[in-house]
Structures are given as C-alpha cells and as structure tokens.
C-alpha cells in the first residue's frame, strides 16, 4: 500500500508532457488493477443476483406451499362462518327478545312492588289510626270510669263523714246530757 502511494505521488509530480516508459508501465498496471476490481465487482454482483433469484424462487415455493395448506383451512373457515352466521343471528335475536321480556317483567315487578308498598303504607296508617283511636277511647273510658266512681265515692264519703260527725255530736251530747258538766261546760265556753 505504501509503495502504491509513493508511485502515485511520483506520477503526480512528473512533468505532464513527458511520458516515460516506466510511467506507461505503471499506468498499465493501474488500469489492469482497475479492470480486475471491476471484474471482481461484476462477479460479486452476479453471485448476489443468482443468490437473490434462488431466494426468490424458494420464497415463492414456501408461499405456494403455505397457500396450499391454508386454502382448505380457509375454505373450512368460510363454510363454518356461513353455517354459523344464521345461528348466531338467531341467538342474537333470541337474546334481544329475552332482554325485552326481562325488562318488561322487571317493570311489571317494579309496578307490583310499588303498588304493594303503597297498600302496605295505607294499611299501616289505618292500623296506626285504629290503635290511636283505641288508645284514646281507652283513656277516655278510664277517665269516665274514674270520674264515675270518684265523684259518687266523694259524695258517699262526705255523707258518711257528715253522719259520723253528726253521730259524734249526738253521742257527745248524750254522754254529757246526764251529767251536769255539759251545762257548765257550755256556759264556760266563750264560743257558745
């Protein structure tokens, strides 16, 4: 490589009009080297083209083999899809219809539950009114009975107390009637 650089420098520095026999030999050597390099490059390109052609041919063979193996599967898949498409459509329609029926029944159940709830509330209010009325009536009856018993008892007690007081007075006078003390006691009492 170093020798080649020296030769190139020498050729460059030479007088352009002089073509010596050494220079012409070197020039022929360089032209030969370029020709060899071009031939090697052409051979490499041809080898690459042949390799690419073989690879393309092998690739086409693989693609054809895959196509031959996949075509029955694709045909079976296509026929399977064609066979199952109506069934899937029927299933979808049945599912939609079932969904509508369930929705309608849920709305019906909701209406029934709401009606039952309203009736239950009305009955609870009615029972509450009955219980409240019964309690109020019981309270009124108890107060009436209490008044009905209490007032006559007071009157009877008053009468008994009056009779008792009258008897005490009579018994007290009767005891004091036979003795002379009763008159003297009466005379001495300033309240009489």
């Amino acid at each position: 490589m170093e020798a080649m650089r020296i030769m190139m420098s020498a050729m460059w520095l030479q007088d352009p009009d002089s073509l010596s026999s050494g220079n012409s030999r070197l020039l022929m050597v360089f032209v030969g080297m370029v020709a060899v390099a071009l031939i090697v490059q052409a051979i490499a390109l041809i080898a690459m083209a042949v390799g690419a052609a073989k690879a393309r041919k092998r690739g086409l063979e693989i693609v054809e083999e895959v196509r031959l193996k996949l075509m029955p599967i694709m045909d079976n898949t296509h026929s399977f899809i064609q066979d199952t498409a109506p069934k899937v459509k029927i299933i979808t329609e049945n599912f939609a219809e079932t969904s509508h029926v369930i929705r309608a029944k849920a709305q019906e159940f909701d209406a029934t539950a709401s009606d039952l709830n309203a009736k239950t509330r009305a009955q609870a209010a009615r029972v509450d009114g009955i219980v409240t009325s019964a309690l109020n009536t019981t309270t009124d009856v108890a107060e009436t009975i209490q008044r009905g018993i209490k007032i006559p008892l007071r009157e009877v007690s008053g009468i008994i107390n009056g009779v008792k007081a009258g008897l005490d007075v009579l018994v007290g006078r009767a005891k004091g009637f036979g003795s002379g003390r009763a008159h003297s006691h009466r005379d001495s009492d300033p309240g009489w």
Side-chain angles (χ1 to χ4, degrees), residues 9-123:
S9 301
M11 281 178 35
W12 190 259
L13 293 174
Q14 270 188 357
D15 188 24
D17 289 336
S18 72
L19 191 58
S20 67
S21 68
N23 284 343
S24 67
R25 223 179 309 150
L26 278 176
L27 187 60
M28 286 172 55
V29 169
F30 285 124
V31 169
M33 285 174 51
V34 168
V36 169
L38 285 174
I39 290 172
V40 170
Q41 189 176 14
I43 291 171
L45 282 175
I46 291 172
M48 285 176 22
V50 169
K54 285 182 181 179
R56 179 181 172 268
K57 183 179 178 184
R58 180 65 184 143
L60 289 175
E61 288 173 359
I62 291 171
V63 166
E64 185 64 26
E65 186 178 328
V66 167
R67 186 184 69 81
L68 288 175
K69 289 182 179 178
L70 286 180
M71 283 309 282
I73 295 172
M74 294 295 283
D75 289 340
N76 288 340
T77 305
H78 188 261
S79 65
F80 176 74
I81 289 172
Q82 285 180 343
D83 290 344
T84 58
K87 294 174 185 175
V88 170
K89 185 177 179 183
I90 290 170
I91 290 170
T92 305
E93 289 172 356
N94 288 343
F95 184 71
E97 186 176 330
T98 303
S99 174
H100 291 301
V101 168
I102 290 172
R103 183 179 297 133
K105 291 298 179 184
Q107 289 173 347
E108 195 176 303
F109 178 75
D110 184 42
T112 303
S114 296
D115 186 42
L116 181 63
N117 191 15
K119 287 180 180 179
T120 303
R121 284 184 182 163
Q123 288 297 329

Side-chain angles (χ1 to χ4, degrees), residues 78-188:
H78 188 261
S79 65
F80 176 74
I81 289 172
Q82 285 180 343
D83 290 344
T84 58
K87 294 174 185 175
V88 170
K89 185 177 179 183
I90 290 170
I91 290 170
T92 305
E93 289 172 356
N94 288 343
F95 184 71
E97 186 176 330
T98 303
S99 174
H100 291 301
V101 168
I102 290 172
R103 183 179 297 133
K105 291 298 179 184
Q107 289 173 347
E108 195 176 303
F109 178 75
D110 184 42
T112 303
S114 296
D115 186 42
L116 181 63
N117 191 15
K119 287 180 180 179
T120 303
R121 284 184 182 163
Q123 288 297 329
R126 187 171 159 203
V127 167
D128 184 44
I130 290 170
V131 169
T132 303
S133 176
L135 289 175
N136 288 340
T137 303
T138 304
T139 304
D140 291 343
V141 167
E143 287 176 3
T144 302
I145 291 173
Q146 186 178 9
R147 270 187 260 121
I149 293 173
K150 202 176 197 180
I151 292 172
L153 277 178
R154 278 188 196 160
E155 291 174 358
V156 169
S157 177
I159 292 171
I160 291 174
N161 285 338
V163 170
K164 185 179 173 185
L167 285 176
D168 283 345
V169 169
L170 286 177
V171 170
R173 283 189 181 177
K175 284 184 183 179
F177 188 70
S179 67
R181 281 177 93 207
H183 290 287
S184 65
H185 187 309
R186 201 169 54 172
D187 293 337
S188 65

